Amino acid sequence: MQLFRAALLTLLFSILSGCAFWGSGHRVQQNGSVVNYLYPNAKQPTAMLPAVTQLRPPVRVGIAFVPGGGWGSGPSEQQKMKLLERVKASFSKHAYIGSIEIIPSAYMQERGGFDNLDQVARMFNVEVVTLLSYDQVQFNDSNRLSLLYWTIIGAYVINGNQYDIQTMLDASVFDVKSRKLLFRAPGTSRVGGNATMAGFSEKSRAAQTEGYNQAVDQLIPNLQTELDSFRERLKSDSSIKVTNKEGYHGGGAADWSLLALAAVLAVVFYGQRRRAS
């Protein structure tokens, strides 16, 4: 009996030690930095020389995720494409934006710098590129779902875990030729939950995806706000010159309708004057 109690206490001590190990939280991170991509050999971004940036609406725009690293290396390529499609849709409604190209990750070299950005811009025939950087941190920890069960054949621990996933996306819009940052917009999210050990990986992966989706939900209206602010800034910013491409008169369908109405009124007015004379 004493031997049985000693063995039981040893087993219990081992299980509780295991629970203590499982209870120690840890953090995993995946990120893609626009600074690391564009300035791979510099401790800080290179100071840009004063120059006039030429924008020629309708502007051809490219959208891409910067290359990343860390656990999982960011969203899967399929997830990236879905997220980029959503950002593309938010750009598409503006008449001063022409074609919008989604650039697959295969063309984005890790630490490629502006040389890689120039190559991509020529390949996809774009003038402005929106680079999406990301930073997702997942905190894992066991919680009180960890329970000790006694059965007829011994003791078992059913371990539960909790996760807290914090995600940040940042859209940085660059003019490729002048290498000037035109504007940027952020989006953040926080997703948490509980799962047993058996289902932890599946649920945490789903939460990672949801974290990116929620961050894009916040990024898109912020991007629209920054885009509107940038258009206002163009009126007084002497460092940016806007010259319309041939055939573009700026403004879209509404302005064309007004021009057509003005033309009709002009014809009517001219006809009335001729009859009066």
Side-chain angles (χ1 to χ4, degrees), residues 19-274:
C19 288
F21 172 76
W22 286 327
S24 58
H26 66 284
R27 154 184 167 154
V28 287
Q29 184 173 13
Q30 54 185 353
N31 61 73
S33 167
V34 68
V35 174
N36 290 341
Y37 169 66
L38 292 178
Y39 305 95
N41 301 315
K43 294 183 179 179
Q44 60 184 9
T46 305
M48 302 298 294
L49 297 175
V52 176
T53 298
Q54 300 278 349
L55 295 178
R56 302 191 64 212
V59 180
R60 299 188 300 271
V61 179
I63 309 175
F65 270 91
V66 298
W71 139 81
S73 298
S76 68
E77 187 64 14
Q78 183 180 11
Q79 291 169 347
K80 287 179 180 179
M81 291 296 106
K82 290 181 179 180
L83 295 172
L84 291 174
E85 284 287 355
R86 294 181 60 193
V87 177
K88 175 181 177 178
S90 71
F91 273 109
S92 299
K93 65 181 183 179
H94 299 288
Y96 50 83
I97 295 177
S99 62
I100 304 175
E101 302 290 340
I102 292 179
I103 302 170
S105 299
Y107 295 93
M108 307 294 292
Q109 299 175 6
E110 185 177 356
R111 302 173 66 83
F114 280 103
D115 289 342
N116 178 230
L117 192 64
D118 290 339
Q119 293 170 352
V120 169
R122 288 194 299 270
M123 185 175 297
F124 287 87
N125 192 28
V126 297
E127 303 157 307
V128 170
V129 175
T130 300
L131 295 175
L132 265 67
S133 55
Y134 60 93
D135 193 349
Q136 187 175 79
V137 182
Q138 178 171 327
F139 300 91
N140 299 332
D141 199 355
S142 294
N143 59 22
R144 293 181 181 178
L145 291 176
S146 299
L147 301 174
L148 182 65
Y149 281 85
W150 289 92
T151 71
I152 194 170
I153 57 174
Y156 286 87
V157 172
I158 295 184
N159 191 37
N161 285 274
Q162 60 185 9
Y163 50 83
D164 183 9
I165 299 173
Q166 300 179 24
T167 306
M168 188 203 74
L169 291 176
D170 189 274
S172 302
V173 182
F174 284 88
D175 173 66
V176 177
K177 187 175 182 179
S178 66
R179 301 184 174 183
K180 180 173 182 176
L181 174 64
L182 302 178
F183 58 94
R184 54 169 293 275
T188 61
S189 71
R190 182 173 182 175
V191 179
N194 295 313
T196 62
M197 281 292 287
F200 181 79
S201 295
E202 182 179 353
K203 285 194 174 182
S204 65
R205 280 196 300 269
Q208 293 160 21
T209 300
E210 180 61 20
Y212 283 113
N213 285 327
Q214 290 187 15
V216 168
D217 288 342
Q218 189 182 103
L219 181 143
I220 287 174
N222 289 342
L223 189 59
Q224 293 296 332
T225 299
E226 292 300 322
L227 185 56
D228 292 339
S229 297
F230 175 70
R231 292 185 65 192
E232 289 299 315
R233 180 157 55 88
L234 288 177
K235 298 176 182 178
S236 58
D237 191 342
S238 60
S239 68
I240 302 177
K241 182 179 179 181
V242 179
T243 305
N244 291 343
K245 289 187 176 78
E246 184 178 355
Y248 175 75
H249 301 283
D255 289 339
W256 285 108
S257 299
L258 290 175
L259 287 173
L261 178 61
V264 171
L265 292 175
V267 170
V268 172
F269 179 73
Y270 179 74
Q272 289 176 343
R273 288 193 60 183
R274 288 197 62 179

